[in-house]
Amino acid sequence: MSLQGKTAIITGSNSGIGLGIAHEMARAGASVVINSFTDSDEDHALAKSIAEEHGTEVRYIKADMSKPDECRALIEKAGACDILVNNAGIQHVAPIDDFPTEKWDAIIAINLSSAFHTTAAALPKMRAAGWGRIVNIASAHGLTASPYKSAYIAAKHGIVGLTKTAALETAEEPITANAICPGYVLTPLVEAQIPDTMKEYDMDRETVIKEVMLKRQPSKEFATVEQLGGTAVFLCSDAAAQITGTTISVDGGWTAL
Ligand code: NAD
């Protein structure tokens, strides 16, 4: 699978799944833009190291995905945008009646609204190029719910709806829009949930991983960032040209239950 000549922008990609997708896009020969809101020396060094590892161009562009103008500016600054992967995301775990309003707003802005803004800015570029792929990183929580994750689940169900709408609006064009729905992947986002979940259920780390997190993942294994990167690259392949407006679960059977 070659993505040579294509530019792939991956939001929130200095860590976890976004970084895994950046590696797989670069391995497939795409010119890659990685992003975060931090703009640190480490971010620029990361871009350089991915470029060196895969022999392709990799740029770092800072943009805070909680800010509509910065979402749109990211796409403008990148120049071309053949592949857009909306991946940036945060989490907060609390019952609805204790859920801080600013956390609700931040999760909806970063996990959902950012994809609206980047997609709006990317579509004219895809149309001008005559080809485009939108890959939204939703979640098993875009298809099912769990307690204490109201904002995340609302945002992830929302991004599945946005994906379907983008697919219908581009259905007669060589552009597709799909969502990948991962189950649990052991990234910093998931690591950060372990202490609270340990407290919530009064369990040790290993028991939380096995009995709470992977309880609903029948394979009893975390999905990996490489598997998610490979799925994103597949959605950019010719074989996937008629796959649009749908979800692909990479969840060890979670949503089959
Ligand atoms: P992570 O914490 O490792 O990565 C999150 C990324 O988002 C980081 O690169 C971070 O810099 C970026 N980010 C956060 N706020 C940002 C902002 N305001 N502006 C720009 N970038 C920002 O988490 P992850 O697990 O790799 O999650 C990536 C995506 O995958 C998220 O959308 C998440 O909801 C989704 N997801 C993760 C899992 C999982 O089990 N890890 C499961 C399903 C879906």
Side-chain angles (χ1 to χ4, degrees):
M1 171 68 216
S2 174
L3 293 177
Q4 255 170 23
K6 306 294 188 200
T7 297
I9 304 174
I10 302 132
T11 71
S13 41
N14 65 347
S15 153
I17 294 171
L19 180 56
I21 294 173
H23 271 286
E24 296 312 312
M25 291 284 172
R27 196 189 308 284
S31 166
V32 172
V33 173
I34 62 167
N35 151 263
S36 71
F37 61 93
T38 39
D39 205 14
S40 67
D41 290 346
E42 288 79 13
D43 292 326
H44 292 273
L46 185 60
K48 196 163 170 257
S49 79
I50 304 170
E52 281 169 5
E53 184 174 338
H54 302 292
T56 189
E57 181 193 41
V58 181
R59 290 174 289 153
Y60 171 84
I61 301 178
K62 180 213 172 225
D64 182 341
M65 304 308 289
S66 70
K67 304 202 165 94
D69 291 353
E70 294 195 27
C71 295
R72 289 171 188 261
L74 167 67
I75 308 301
E76 295 316 319
K77 284 181 193 164
C81 178
D82 305 298
I83 298 165
L84 170 63
V85 182
N86 287 304
N87 169 78
I90 58 167
Q91 175 63 286
H92 185 77
V93 179
I96 293 174
D97 45 340
D98 270 343
F99 211 93
T101 302
E102 65 277 11
K103 291 285 183 196
W104 170 276
D105 289 345
I107 290 174
I108 298 298
I110 296 167
N111 297 22
L112 175 57
S113 302
S114 69
F116 161 70
H117 297 297
T118 55
T119 301
L123 279 175
K125 288 175 184 267
M126 291 177 176
R127 289 185 169 124
W131 191 91
R133 294 287 182 268
I134 299 165
V135 179
N136 292 327
I137 306 304
S139 169
H141 279 133
L143 303 169
T144 64
S146 300
Y148 314 126
K149 297 184 177 176
S150 54
Y152 187 85
I153 285 160
K156 294 301 184 181
H157 277 70
I159 205 165
V160 170
L162 175 66
T163 304
K164 291 179 185 176
T165 306
L168 292 180
E169 289 186 16
T170 56
E172 293 186 30
E173 302 171 76
I175 297 172
T176 67
N178 292 289
I180 298 176
C181 293
Y184 271 109
V185 188
L186 194 55
T187 64
L189 180 140
V190 166
E191 272 295 343
Q193 291 175 52
I194 294 177
D196 279 352
T197 316
M198 284 167 65
K199 258 190 254 157
E200 182 78 41
Y201 290 89
D202 193 21
M203 288 175 177
D204 64 24
R205 181 187 160 86
E206 290 318 307
T207 315
V208 157
I209 288 176
K210 235 175 142 181
E211 305 295 331
V212 181
M213 293 184 155
L214 296 182
K215 184 177 178 197
R216 291 172 73 180
Q217 200 143 311
S219 66
K220 298 291 170 213
E221 284 181 30
F222 285 110
T224 68
V225 301
E226 292 78 12
Q227 290 161 357
L228 291 158
T231 306
V233 169
F234 164 69
L235 286 172
C236 298
S237 70
D238 292 343
Q242 283 299 313
I243 300 177
T244 194
T246 194
T247 56
I248 298 193
S249 291
V250 184
D251 66 2
W254 178 334
T255 45
L257 281 173

